[in-house]
Amino acid sequence: PTTPPTTPPPSSGFVVSEAQFNQMFPNRNPFYTYKGLTDALKSYPGFANTGSDTVKKQEAAAFLANVSHETGGLVHIVEQNTANYPHYCDPGQPYGCPAGQAAYYGRGPIQLSWNFNYKAAGDALGIDLLNNPWRVEQDPAVAMQTGLWYWNTQNGPGTMTAHNAMVNGAGFGQTIWAINGSLECNGGNPAQVQSRVTKYQQFTQILGVPAGANLSC
């Protein structure tokens, strides 16, 4: 009779193990799962999978550090300031705000907000997030997919995607530009920048790689 295999099943192939993920996010909301993250990776196979082993780990650390900052350590699923909720509808878009004026508040690991971002992310991922933005706060894999969509494809207020910043050696500071631009960089909010940098340094340490140059913005 065949005995059940004692070897663990193959890992996700992600450079961050589940144990390291749990170490990074000791107080995380149960909504944010390691499986939700690894399932979402299928949408962006180049993420944390480009360049040397060091670069792969630096990119993973950079993404997770920014995510940690945005969500209070993967605790918050939705934006905490409900007074902001009605502000994220750009009525100038031809498709308007079908889910409602106040439906496009920050959700998920990168706090996706604005009707046009929900539309673009949904189009890219093949999910109708314009009409059903709530999926981002209900489905852990969709939540992570929106974070990876922004990271891999959007320059935001910066000059390059966060993915390209890490892969091409521009440095962690450029990922902050891509996410929040002058709201934080160029003296906009040095404490917020430092919070992101400190988290990135912690996470690269957990993964055993140097943080690299150009950490700040």
Side-chain angles (χ1 to χ4, degrees):
T2 55
T3 52
T6 51
T7 51
S11 77
S12 62
F14 187 39
V15 293
V16 179
S17 70
E18 186 160 11
Q20 289 168 328
F21 179 76
N22 289 332
Q23 189 182 348
M24 290 171 174
F25 301 104
N27 306 311
R28 68 183 162 81
N29 190 307
F31 172 79
Y32 291 113
T33 60
Y34 183 73
K35 186 179 187 308
L37 173 56
T38 54
D39 284 352
L41 295 175
K42 299 180 183 93
S43 303
Y44 293 98
F47 167 75
N49 202 25
T50 307
S52 68
D53 190 50
T54 296
V55 170
K56 291 175 188 174
K57 289 178 176 174
Q58 285 172 335
E59 183 180 11
F63 173 73
L64 292 170
N66 278 299
V67 160
S68 181
H69 177 86
E70 295 286 329
T71 58
L74 284 185
V75 172
H76 301 308
I77 301 170
V78 300
E79 183 172 349
Q80 295 302 288
N81 184 357
T82 52
N84 279 342
Y85 284 17
H87 299 165
Y88 297 116
C89 173
D90 176 4
Q93 302 296 338
Y95 42 78
C97 295
Q101 166 80 25
Y104 301 100
Y105 51 85
R107 292 181 182 85
I110 214 96
Q111 292 288 290
L112 185 74
S113 48
W114 290 95
N115 54 332
F116 48 84
N117 281 328
Y118 278 90
K119 170 85 163 69
D123 288 352
L125 297 167
I127 313 167
D128 184 1
L129 297 180
L130 181 68
N131 285 293
N132 187 2
W134 294 277
R135 280 197 64 179
V136 181
E137 64 186 84
Q138 293 163 349
D139 182 327
V142 171
M144 283 293 181
Q145 279 180 307
T146 62
L148 289 170
W149 166 78
Y150 192 91
W151 183 268
N152 287 284
T153 69
Q154 300 300 299
N155 291 357
T159 56
M160 64 188 84
T161 66
H163 170 72
N164 284 339
M166 295 309 295
V167 168
N168 299 332
F172 181 74
Q174 288 297 325
T175 72
I176 308 176
W177 267 112
I179 291 169
N180 253 359
S182 57
L183 285 175
E184 293 184 14
C185 295
N186 277 354
N189 194 330
Q192 295 285 320
V193 170
Q194 189 52 51
S195 161
R196 294 179 195 266
V197 170
T198 300
K199 194 56 72 176
Y200 172 65
Q201 291 169 322
Q202 285 171 1
F203 287 1
T204 49
Q205 202 164 7
I206 287 173
L207 297 180
V209 291
N214 304 322
L215 296 185
S216 195
C217 62

Coordinates of all heavy atoms in Angstrom, one line a residue, residues 75-144:
V75 N -4.8 45.4 8.6 CA -6.0 45.4 9.5 C -7.2 46.0 8.9 O -8.3 45.4 8.9 CB -5.6 46.2 10.8 CG1 -6.8 46.3 11.7 CG2 -4.5 45.5 11.5
H76 N -7.1 47.1 8.2 CA -8.2 47.8 7.6 C -8.6 47.3 6.2 O -7.7 47.3 5.4 CB -8.0 49.3 7.6 CG -7.7 49.9 9.0 ND1 -8.6 49.7 10.1 CD2 -6.7 50.7 9.4 CE1 -8.1 50.3 11.1 NE2 -7.0 50.9 10.8
I77 N -9.8 47.0 6.0 CA -10.2 46.6 4.7 C -10.8 47.8 3.9 O -10.6 47.9 2.7 CB -11.3 45.5 4.8 CG1 -10.8 44.3 5.6 CG2 -11.8 45.0 3.4 CD1 -11.8 43.2 5.9
V78 N -11.4 48.7 4.6 CA -12.0 49.9 4.0 C -11.4 51.1 4.6 O -11.0 51.1 5.8 CB -13.5 49.9 4.1 CG1 -14.1 48.7 3.4 CG2 -14.0 50.0 5.5
E79 N -11.5 52.2 3.9 CA -11.0 53.5 4.4 C -11.8 53.9 5.7 O -13.0 53.7 5.8 CB -11.3 54.5 3.3 CG -10.8 55.9 3.6 CD -11.0 56.9 2.5 OE1 -11.3 56.4 1.3 OE2 -10.8 58.1 2.7
Q80 N -11.0 54.3 6.6 CA -11.6 54.6 8.0 C -12.4 55.9 8.1 O -13.3 56.0 8.9 CB -10.5 54.5 9.0 CG -9.8 53.2 9.1 CD -10.8 52.1 9.5 OE1 -11.3 52.0 10.6 NE2 -11.1 51.2 8.5
N81 N -12.0 56.9 7.2 CA -12.7 58.2 7.3 C -13.9 58.2 6.4 O -13.8 58.5 5.2 CB -11.7 59.3 6.9 CG -12.3 60.6 7.1 OD1 -13.5 60.8 7.5 ND2 -11.5 61.7 6.9
T82 N -15.1 57.8 7.0 CA -16.3 57.7 6.1 C -16.7 59.1 5.5 O -17.4 59.1 4.5 CB -17.4 57.2 6.9 OG1 -17.6 57.9 8.1 CG2 -17.2 55.7 7.3
A83 N -16.2 60.2 6.2 CA -16.6 61.5 5.6 C -16.0 61.7 4.2 O -16.5 62.5 3.4 CB -16.0 62.6 6.5
N84 N -14.9 61.0 3.9 CA -14.3 61.1 2.5 C -15.1 60.3 1.5 O -14.9 60.5 0.3 CB -12.9 60.5 2.5 CG -11.9 61.5 3.1 OD1 -12.2 62.6 3.2 ND2 -10.8 60.9 3.5
Y85 N -16.0 59.4 1.9 CA -16.6 58.5 0.9 C -17.3 59.2 -0.3 O -17.1 58.7 -1.4 CB -17.6 57.5 1.6 CG -17.0 56.4 2.4 CD1 -15.6 56.5 2.8 CD2 -17.7 55.3 2.8 CE1 -15.1 55.4 3.6 CE2 -17.2 54.3 3.6 CZ -15.8 54.4 4.0 OH -15.3 53.3 4.7
P86 N -18.0 60.2 -0.1 CA -18.7 60.8 -1.3 C -17.7 61.6 -2.2 O -18.1 62.0 -3.3 CB -19.7 61.8 -0.6 CG -19.7 61.5 0.8 CD -18.4 60.9 1.2
H87 N -16.5 61.7 -1.8 CA -15.5 62.6 -2.6 C -14.9 61.8 -3.8 O -14.2 62.5 -4.6 CB -14.4 63.1 -1.7 CG -14.9 64.0 -0.6 ND1 -14.1 64.3 0.5 CD2 -16.1 64.5 -0.4 CE1 -14.8 65.0 1.3 NE2 -16.0 65.2 0.8
Y88 N -15.1 60.5 -3.9 CA -14.4 59.7 -4.9 C -15.2 59.4 -6.1 O -14.9 58.5 -6.8 CB -13.9 58.4 -4.3 CG -12.9 58.6 -3.1 CD1 -13.2 58.2 -1.8 CD2 -11.7 59.2 -3.3 CE1 -12.4 58.4 -0.8 CE2 -10.8 59.4 -2.3 CZ -11.1 59.0 -1.0 OH -10.3 59.2 0.0
C89 N -16.2 60.3 -6.4 CA -16.9 60.1 -7.7 C -16.6 61.2 -8.6 O -16.9 62.4 -8.3 CB -18.4 60.1 -7.4 SG -19.4 60.1 -8.9
D90 N -15.9 60.9 -9.7 CA -15.6 61.9 -10.7 C -16.7 61.9 -11.7 O -16.8 61.0 -12.6 CB -14.3 61.6 -11.4 CG -14.0 62.6 -12.5 OD1 -14.7 63.5 -12.7 OD2 -12.9 62.4 -13.2
P91 N -17.6 62.9 -11.6 CA -18.8 62.9 -12.5 C -18.5 63.2 -13.9 O -19.3 63.0 -14.8 CB -19.7 64.0 -11.9 CG -18.7 65.0 -11.2 CD -17.6 64.1 -10.8
G92 N -17.3 63.6 -14.2 CA -16.9 63.9 -15.6 C -16.6 62.7 -16.4 O -16.5 62.8 -17.6
Q93 N -16.6 61.5 -15.7 CA -16.4 60.3 -16.5 C -17.7 59.9 -17.2 O -18.8 60.0 -16.6 CB -16.0 59.1 -15.6 CG -14.7 59.4 -14.8 CD -13.5 59.5 -15.7 OE1 -13.5 59.0 -16.8 NE2 -12.5 60.2 -15.2
P94 N -17.7 59.4 -18.5 CA -18.9 59.1 -19.2 C -19.8 58.1 -18.6 O -21.0 58.1 -18.7 CB -18.4 58.6 -20.6 CG -16.9 58.3 -20.4 CD -16.4 59.2 -19.3
Y95 N -19.1 57.2 -17.8 CA -19.9 56.1 -17.2 C -20.4 56.5 -15.8 O -21.2 55.8 -15.2 CB -19.1 54.8 -17.0 CG -17.6 55.1 -16.6 CD1 -17.3 55.4 -15.3 CD2 -16.6 55.2 -17.6 CE1 -16.0 55.7 -14.9 CE2 -15.3 55.4 -17.2 CZ -15.0 55.7 -15.9 OH -13.7 56.0 -15.5
G96 N -20.0 57.7 -15.3 CA -20.5 58.2 -14.0 C -20.2 57.3 -12.9 O -19.1 56.6 -12.8
C97 N -21.1 57.2 -11.9 CA -20.9 56.4 -10.7 C -22.1 55.5 -10.4 O -22.9 55.8 -9.5 CB -20.7 57.4 -9.5 SG -19.2 58.3 -9.7
P98 N -22.2 54.5 -11.2 CA -23.5 53.6 -11.2 C -23.7 53.0 -9.8 O -24.9 52.7 -9.5 CB -23.2 52.6 -12.3 CG -21.8 52.6 -12.6 CD -21.3 54.0 -12.3
A99 N -22.7 52.8 -9.1 CA -22.9 52.1 -7.8 C -23.3 53.1 -6.7 O -23.6 52.8 -5.5 CB -21.6 51.4 -7.3
G100 N -23.2 54.4 -7.0 CA -23.6 55.5 -6.1 C -22.5 56.5 -5.8 O -21.3 56.1 -6.0
Q101 N -22.9 57.6 -5.5 CA -21.9 58.7 -5.3 C -20.8 58.4 -4.2 O -19.7 58.7 -4.4 CB -22.7 60.0 -4.8 CG -21.9 61.1 -4.2 CD -21.2 62.0 -5.2 OE1 -21.7 62.1 -6.3 NE2 -20.1 62.6 -4.9
A102 N -21.2 57.6 -3.2 CA -20.3 57.3 -2.1 C -19.7 55.9 -2.1 O -19.3 55.4 -1.1 CB -21.0 57.6 -0.8
A103 N -19.8 55.3 -3.3 CA -19.4 53.8 -3.4 C -18.0 53.5 -3.7 O -17.5 52.4 -3.6 CB -20.3 53.1 -4.4
Y104 N -17.2 54.6 -4.0 CA -15.8 54.3 -4.5 C -14.7 54.7 -3.5 O -13.6 55.1 -3.9 CB -15.7 55.0 -5.9 CG -16.7 54.5 -6.9 CD1 -17.9 55.2 -7.1 CD2 -16.6 53.2 -7.5 CE1 -18.8 54.7 -8.0 CE2 -17.5 52.8 -8.3 CZ -18.7 53.5 -8.6 OH -19.6 53.0 -9.4
Y105 N -15.0 54.5 -2.3 CA -14.0 54.8 -1.2 C -12.9 53.8 -1.2 O -13.0 52.7 -1.9 CB -14.7 54.8 0.1 CG -15.6 53.6 0.4 CD1 -15.0 52.4 1.0 CD2 -16.9 53.6 0.2 CE1 -15.8 51.3 1.2 CE2 -17.7 52.5 0.4 CZ -17.2 51.4 1.0 OH -17.9 50.3 1.2
G106 N -11.9 54.1 -0.5 CA -10.7 53.2 -0.4 C -11.0 51.8 0.1 O -11.6 51.7 1.2
R107 N -10.6 50.8 -0.7 CA -10.8 49.4 -0.2 C -9.5 48.6 -0.6 O -8.9 48.8 -1.6 CB -11.9 48.8 -1.0 CG -13.3 49.3 -0.7 CD -14.3 48.5 -1.5 NE -15.7 48.9 -1.3 CZ -16.3 49.9 -2.0 NH1 -15.6 50.6 -2.8 NH2 -17.6 50.2 -1.8
G108 N -9.3 47.6 0.2 CA -8.2 46.6 -0.1 C -6.9 47.1 0.3 O -6.7 48.1 0.9
P109 N -5.9 46.3 -0.1 CA -4.5 46.5 0.4 C -3.8 47.8 0.0 O -3.0 48.3 0.7 CB -3.7 45.3 -0.2 CG -4.5 44.8 -1.3 CD -6.0 45.1 -1.0
I110 N -4.3 48.3 -1.2 CA -3.6 49.6 -1.6 C -4.7 50.7 -1.5 O -4.4 51.8 -1.9 CB -3.0 49.4 -3.0 CG1 -1.8 50.3 -3.2 CG2 -4.0 49.7 -4.1 CD1 -0.5 49.5 -3.0
Q111 N -5.8 50.4 -0.9 CA -6.9 51.4 -0.7 C -7.3 52.0 -2.0 O -7.3 53.2 -2.2 CB -6.5 52.4 0.3 CG -6.4 51.8 1.8 CD -7.7 51.5 2.4 OE1 -8.5 52.3 2.7 NE2 -8.0 50.2 2.5
L112 N -7.7 51.1 -3.0 CA -8.2 51.5 -4.3 C -9.4 52.5 -4.1 O -10.3 52.2 -3.3 CB -8.7 50.3 -5.1 CG -9.1 50.6 -6.5 CD1 -7.9 50.8 -7.4 CD2 -9.9 49.4 -7.0
S113 N -9.3 53.6 -4.7 CA -10.4 54.6 -4.6 C -10.6 55.3 -6.0 O -9.8 55.3 -6.8 CB -10.2 55.6 -3.5 OG -8.9 56.1 -3.6
W114 N -11.7 56.0 -6.1 CA -12.2 56.7 -7.3 C -12.9 55.8 -8.3 O -12.4 54.7 -8.6 CB -11.1 57.5 -8.0 CG -10.6 58.7 -7.2 CD1 -9.5 58.8 -6.4 CD2 -11.2 60.0 -7.2 NE1 -9.4 60.0 -5.8 CE2 -10.4 60.8 -6.3 CE3 -12.3 60.6 -7.8 CZ2 -10.7 62.1 -6.0 CZ3 -12.6 61.9 -7.5 CH2 -11.8 62.7 -6.7
N115 N -14.0 56.3 -8.9 CA -14.7 55.5 -9.9 C -13.9 55.1 -11.1 O -13.9 54.0 -11.6 CB -16.0 56.3 -10.3 CG -15.7 57.7 -10.9 OD1 -14.8 58.3 -10.5 ND2 -16.6 58.1 -11.7
F116 N -13.0 56.0 -11.5 CA -12.2 55.7 -12.7 C -11.1 54.6 -12.4 O -10.8 53.8 -13.3 CB -11.5 56.9 -13.3 CG -10.8 57.8 -12.3 CD1 -9.5 57.6 -11.9 CD2 -11.5 58.9 -11.8 CE1 -8.9 58.4 -11.0 CE2 -10.8 59.8 -10.9 CZ -9.5 59.5 -10.5
N117 N -10.6 54.5 -11.2 CA -9.7 53.4 -10.8 C -10.5 52.1 -10.7 O -9.9 51.1 -11.1 CB -9.0 53.7 -9.5 CG -7.8 54.7 -9.7 OD1 -7.2 54.7 -10.7 ND2 -7.6 55.5 -8.7
Y118 N -11.7 52.1 -10.1 CA -12.5 50.9 -10.1 C -12.8 50.4 -11.5 O -12.7 49.2 -11.8 CB -13.8 51.1 -9.3 CG -13.5 51.0 -7.8 CD1 -13.2 52.1 -7.0 CD2 -13.7 49.8 -7.1 CE1 -13.0 52.0 -5.6 CE2 -13.5 49.6 -5.8 CZ -13.1 50.8 -5.0 OH -12.9 50.6 -3.7
K119 N -13.1 51.3 -12.4 CA -13.4 51.0 -13.8 C -12.2 50.4 -14.4 O -12.2 49.3 -15.0 CB -13.8 52.2 -14.5 CG -14.0 52.1 -16.1 CD -15.3 51.5 -16.5 CE -15.6 51.7 -17.9 NZ -14.7 50.9 -18.8
A120 N -11.0 51.0 -14.3 CA -9.8 50.6 -15.0 C -9.3 49.2 -14.4 O -8.9 48.3 -15.1 CB -8.7 51.6 -14.8
A121 N -9.3 49.1 -13.1 CA -8.9 47.9 -12.4 C -9.8 46.7 -12.8 O -9.4 45.6 -13.2 CB -8.9 48.0 -10.9
G122 N -11.1 47.0 -12.8 CA -12.1 46.0 -13.2 C -11.9 45.5 -14.6 O -11.9 44.3 -14.9
D123 N -11.7 46.5 -15.5 CA -11.5 46.2 -16.9 C -10.2 45.3 -17.1 O -10.2 44.3 -17.8 CB -11.3 47.4 -17.8 CG -12.7 48.2 -18.0 OD1 -13.7 47.6 -17.6 OD2 -12.6 49.3 -18.5
A124 N -9.2 45.6 -16.4 CA -7.9 44.9 -16.5 C -8.1 43.5 -15.9 O -7.4 42.6 -16.4 CB -6.8 45.7 -15.8
L125 N -8.8 43.3 -14.9 CA -8.9 42.1 -14.2 C -10.1 41.2 -14.7 O -10.3 40.1 -14.3 CB -9.1 42.3 -12.7 CG -7.9 43.0 -12.0 CD1 -8.3 43.4 -10.6 CD2 -6.7 42.0 -12.0
G126 N -10.9 41.8 -15.6 CA -12.1 41.1 -16.1 C -13.2 40.9 -15.1 O -13.9 39.9 -15.0
I127 N -13.4 41.9 -14.2 CA -14.4 41.9 -13.1 C -15.1 43.2 -13.2 O -14.4 44.3 -13.4 CB -13.7 41.8 -11.7 CG1 -12.7 40.7 -11.7 CG2 -14.8 41.5 -10.7 CD1 -11.8 40.7 -10.4
D128 N -16.4 43.3 -13.1 CA -17.1 44.5 -13.1 C -17.1 45.2 -11.7 O -18.0 45.1 -10.9 CB -18.6 44.3 -13.6 CG -19.3 45.6 -13.7 OD1 -18.7 46.7 -13.5 OD2 -20.5 45.6 -14.1
L129 N -16.0 46.0 -11.5 CA -15.9 46.7 -10.2 C -16.6 48.0 -10.3 O -16.8 48.6 -9.2 CB -14.4 46.8 -9.8 CG -13.7 45.5 -9.6 CD1 -12.2 45.8 -9.2 CD2 -14.3 44.7 -8.5
L130 N -16.9 48.5 -11.4 CA -17.6 49.8 -11.5 C -19.0 49.7 -10.9 O -19.4 50.5 -10.2 CB -17.6 50.3 -13.0 CG -18.3 51.6 -13.2 CD1 -17.5 52.8 -12.6 CD2 -18.6 51.9 -14.6
N131 N -19.7 48.6 -11.3 CA -21.0 48.4 -10.8 C -21.0 47.7 -9.4 O -22.0 47.8 -8.7 CB -21.9 47.6 -11.8 CG -22.3 48.5 -13.0 OD1 -23.0 49.4 -12.8 ND2 -21.7 48.2 -14.1
N132 N -20.0 47.0 -9.1 CA -19.9 46.3 -7.9 C -18.6 46.4 -7.2 O -17.8 45.5 -7.1 CB -20.2 44.8 -8.0 CG -20.4 44.0 -6.7 OD1 -20.3 44.7 -5.6 ND2 -20.6 42.7 -6.7
P133 N -18.3 47.7 -6.7 CA -17.0 47.9 -6.0 C -16.9 47.2 -4.7 O -15.8 46.9 -4.2 CB -17.0 49.4 -5.8 CG -18.5 49.8 -5.8 CD -19.2 48.9 -6.7
W134 N -18.0 46.7 -4.2 CA -18.0 46.0 -2.9 C -17.2 44.7 -2.9 O -16.8 44.2 -1.9 CB -19.4 45.8 -2.4 CG -20.0 47.1 -2.0 CD1 -19.9 47.8 -0.9 CD2 -20.9 47.9 -2.9 NE1 -20.6 49.0 -1.0 CE2 -21.2 49.1 -2.2 CE3 -21.4 47.7 -4.2 CZ2 -22.1 50.0 -2.8 CZ3 -22.2 48.6 -4.8 CH2 -22.5 49.8 -4.0
R135 N -17.0 44.2 -4.2 CA -16.3 42.9 -4.3 C -14.9 43.0 -3.7 O -14.3 42.0 -3.2 CB -16.2 42.4 -5.7 CG -17.5 41.8 -6.2 CD -17.3 41.0 -7.5 NE -16.3 39.9 -7.3 CZ -16.1 39.0 -8.3 NH1 -16.6 39.2 -9.5 NH2 -15.2 38.0 -8.1
V136 N -14.3 44.2 -3.7 CA -13.0 44.4 -3.2 C -12.9 44.2 -1.7 O -11.8 43.9 -1.2 CB -12.4 45.8 -3.6 CG1 -11.0 46.0 -3.2 CG2 -12.5 46.0 -5.2
E137 N -14.0 44.5 -1.0 CA -14.0 44.3 0.4 C -14.6 42.9 0.8 O -14.7 42.6 2.0 CB -14.7 45.4 1.2 CG -16.1 45.6 0.9 CD -16.7 46.8 1.5 OE1 -16.6 47.9 0.9 OE2 -17.3 46.7 2.6
Q138 N -15.0 42.1 -0.2 CA -15.7 40.9 0.1 C -14.8 39.7 -0.3 O -15.0 38.6 0.3 CB -17.0 40.8 -0.6 CG -18.0 41.8 0.0 CD -19.2 42.0 -0.9 OE1 -19.2 41.6 -2.1 NE2 -20.2 42.8 -0.4
D139 N -14.0 39.8 -1.3 CA -13.2 38.7 -1.8 C -11.7 38.9 -1.7 O -11.2 39.9 -2.3 CB -13.6 38.5 -3.3 CG -12.9 37.3 -4.0 OD1 -11.7 37.0 -3.6 OD2 -13.5 36.7 -4.9
P140 N -11.0 38.1 -0.8 CA -9.6 38.4 -0.5 C -8.7 38.4 -1.7 O -7.8 39.2 -1.8 CB -9.2 37.3 0.4 CG -10.5 36.8 1.0 CD -11.6 37.0 0.0
A141 N -9.0 37.5 -2.7 CA -8.2 37.5 -3.9 C -8.4 38.7 -4.8 O -7.5 39.3 -5.3 CB -8.4 36.2 -4.7
V142 N -9.7 39.2 -4.9 CA -9.9 40.4 -5.7 C -9.3 41.6 -5.0 O -8.7 42.5 -5.7 CB -11.5 40.6 -5.8 CG1 -11.8 42.0 -6.4 CG2 -12.1 39.5 -6.7
A143 N -9.4 41.6 -3.7 CA -8.7 42.7 -3.0 C -7.2 42.8 -3.3 O -6.7 43.9 -3.7 CB -8.9 42.6 -1.4
M144 N -6.6 41.7 -3.2 CA -5.1 41.6 -3.5 C -4.9 41.9 -5.0 O -3.9 42.6 -5.4 CB -4.5 40.3 -3.2 CG -4.3 40.1 -1.7 SD -3.0 41.3 -1.0 CE -2.9 40.8 0.7

